[in-house]
Amino acid sequence: MSDWFTLRWADGAVELLDQRRLPAEETYLTLHNVEDVARAIEDLAVRGAPAIGCAAALGVALAAAGSPADKPEGVRIDCLAAIERLARTRPTAVNLFWALGRMREVLEHACGAEGADADAVRAELVQQACALVDEDVAICRALGAAGVELVPDGARILTHCNAGALATAGWGTALGVVRSAVAAGRRVEVLADETRPFLQGARLTAWELARDDIPVTVITDNMAGHLIARGEVDLVLVGADRIARNGDVANKIGTYTVALLAREHAVPFYVAAPLSTIDLETPDGAAIPIEERGPAEVTHIGGQLVMPEGVPVRHPAFDVTPAALVSAIVTERGIARAPYASSLQVLFDTA
Ligand code: MRU
C-alpha cells in the first residue's frame, strides 16, 4: 500500500494531492464545492485523463451533497449546472465527458425513481462517484495485468508525460503496466521524458516510480532520439487522453515525436488506456479537440521567466499520433492491434 493517494471523497469534501507542488511538497487540497474542483482541474492540481474524470464525478457529488434543495428537481438543477461547469474545464481528455455522462445518467435515474426524495438523490450521487473512483483503480490493475506480456525481462521502457497512479485514482495506465510487470517479476528500467512545459515526467513520473523503488532515469525531451538511435530503448509505453475510432491517439504534446522516432528505429510504441479513453464517436485524430493553454507554463520554469518578456509563445497541450505508428493499445479488456476500427469495437462488444 502506498502512503499517498491521488484523490478521494472524505467527510463530505474532495481531497486531492496538489500535483503542481510535487515533488517539492506533498500537500493535499480539501475542496468543498464544484468551483473548487473545476479550478483544480483547470490549474492542473489534478491532471491525467482518468483522474480528471474521477475528480469531475466527485465534483458532481459535491454539488449534490451541497444542494440546499428539498425536492429532487432542485438537486437535479444544481447537479446539471455543476456538470455544465465541469465540462468547460479541459477539452481533450474524453474521460471527463465520459464520467460526467455517467453521473448525469445516475442523476436522471435517481430523480425519476418511484418516491424519490432529495436526500436519496444526494446519497446516490455520492455513492456512485465513489464507486467510479474505486472502479478506476480496478480497471488500471486489469489493464496493467493485460499489458505484462508486452514487457520482456530487462526491458528499458521510455515513457512520456505521467500516465501513472497520479494520473488515475491509483496504479496508473502506462505506469500501471510497468507496476504489473514488476509485480510479475520482470526487471525493468524506465526512462522518463521530462515533458516540457509542465514537466509531468520529471516531477511526477520520477516521483511516483522512485516512491515505489522502480528504477527511473529522467531525460530532457530532446535526448530521446539519441538514446533510441543508440539502441538504449526496448519499447515505448505511453498513456492517452483520447483515442479516436480509427486508433489515432491524442496524448501529451511531444508524444507524436517519440512515436516517429520509435518507428524509424523499429522500437514498439504501445499505448495503455482504459475503454473510457476510447471515443468511438470521434472518427479520427483530426476531430479531437486539442487544448491550447496559456503562455505562462511555457515562458516560466519554476516561477522563473526563461525567455525575453513579450515574445509570443505557442502552447498546444496535446498532439495526435496516427494509428499507423501505434504497435498496440492495451486496455482492461485486452490488447488491440491494427486495424483498430475493428479491434477497438471488438473490445467494447466483449461483455
Ligand atoms: O495535461 P495532462 O497532465 O493532464 O496530460 C496528461 C497526459 O497526457 C497523460 O499521458 C494522459 O492523460 C494519460 S493519463 C493515464
Side-chain angles (χ1 to χ4, degrees), residues 7-9 14 50 53-62 64-65 79 83 98-111 113 119-137 139 169:
L7 78 182
R8 70 180 179 198
W9 179 263
V14 175
C54 291
L58 293 172
V60 178
L62 272 183
C79 287
I83 289 170
W98 172 86
L100 291 175
R102 191 155 137 179
M103 292 304 286
R104 188 178 175 144
E105 268 175 35
V106 170
L107 175 68
E108 300 298 357
H109 188 262
C111 289
D119 282 339
V121 171
R122 280 189 270 271
E124 180 67 6
L125 282 152
V126 171
Q127 202 235 310
Q128 290 292 333
C130 294
L132 191 143
V133 172
D134 291 345
E135 199 185 302
D136 188 60
V137 181
I139 286 171

Side-chain angles (χ1 to χ4, degrees), residues 14-34:
V14 175
E15 290 178 348
L16 54 86
L17 183 54
D18 188 345
Q19 299 190 29
R20 296 166 303 185
R21 294 174 176 272
L22 287 173
E25 280 173 46
E26 289 171 36
T27 308
Y28 289 88
L29 300 175
T30 304
L31 311 177
H32 295 284
N33 58 57
V34 68

Side-chain angles (χ1 to χ4, degrees), residues 243-260:
I243 300 174
R245 190 166 67 228
N246 72 341
D248 288 351
V249 174
N251 192 49
K252 180 51 55 192
I253 192 76
T255 303
Y256 173 46
T257 319
V258 177
L260 284 171

Side-chain angles (χ1 to χ4, degrees), residues 310-323:
V311 171
V313 296
R314 287 291 309 274
H315 189 186
F318 300 94
D319 60 24
V320 174
T321 297

